[in-house]
Amino acid sequence: MINLYCNNPTAGKKDGTAISQDNTQTSPLALTLKLTEQKAVKVAIRTDAGYKTTDGVNISFAYYDGSEYQTTGGNVANWYVCLDNNYSSAEEALSKGTWGHSADITTDVTDVNTILWVKYDATNATAPINDTSTAVCIKATVEAV
């Protein structure tokens, strides 16, 4: 009933590619970067047609240890999210965005894209990885309209 979308989604539209759920990795959120580099990617959140959220939405990250999700561990500390402020590019979002390990959308999310930005901070200690243990968590109450 609520999903994240990648591949340059457009605010207010219904475009983008749904990011895979349940650790299937069929269409993962992907960032390729070098050590000590930051890179942001635009994503969208929207509900299925006929639904909307109530009381806000919280976006955060969790580590999947193979049996359950945890708030710490793995590479969770390297992932950040920020709300969109009509940023024209990833570079503008990186330089002007308010980044945190979680973000709260206070308006209702409907069946059209609400834009967010997600980034990964690679440090000198970060070895090249295919991080399949970090999940994007969406906490929301969704209701029929």
Side-chain angles (χ1 to χ4, degrees):
M1 290 199 289
I2 191 166
N3 294 296
L4 284 175
Y5 297 84
C6 60
N7 292 332
N8 202 28
T10 310
K13 303 266 179 151
K14 296 182 181 186
D15 60 352
T17 303
I19 295 172
S20 57
Q21 297 181 24
D22 300 325
N23 208 25
T24 61
Q25 304 302 317
T26 54
S27 178
L29 176 61
L31 292 167
T32 303
L33 59 156
K34 301 172 188 168
L35 291 180
T36 71
E37 185 178 31
Q38 290 183 0
K39 198 176 272 188
V41 63
K42 180 168 57 168
V43 298
I45 185 171
R46 71 173 185 260
T47 62
D48 292 339
Y51 295 90
K52 70 174 186 122
T53 64
T54 60
D55 302 321
V57 177
N58 176 266
I59 309 289
S60 64
F61 302 93
Y63 167 64
Y64 184 66
D65 68 5
S67 62
E68 64 183 6
Y69 291 95
Q70 310 209 11
T71 57
T72 60
N75 298 300
V76 170
N78 294 53
W79 287 94
Y80 296 83
V81 62
C82 88
L83 302 177
D84 185 52
N85 194 13
N86 296 316
Y87 301 126
S88 61
S89 67
E91 293 75 22
E92 185 178 12
L94 283 170
S95 67
K96 295 182 179 179
T98 302
W99 293 92
H101 293 292
S102 69
D104 292 310
I105 301 170
T106 57
T107 58
D108 289 344
V109 172
T110 64
D111 64 349
V112 297
N113 292 338
T114 297
I115 301 298
L116 303 163
W117 293 86
V118 175
K119 78 173 180 174
Y120 186 88
D121 272 339
T123 64
N124 285 327
T126 304
I129 59 167
N130 184 11
D131 184 4
T132 59
S133 66
T134 302
V136 181
C137 301
I138 302 170
K139 293 179 185 171
T141 301
V142 179
E143 67 179 20
V145 291

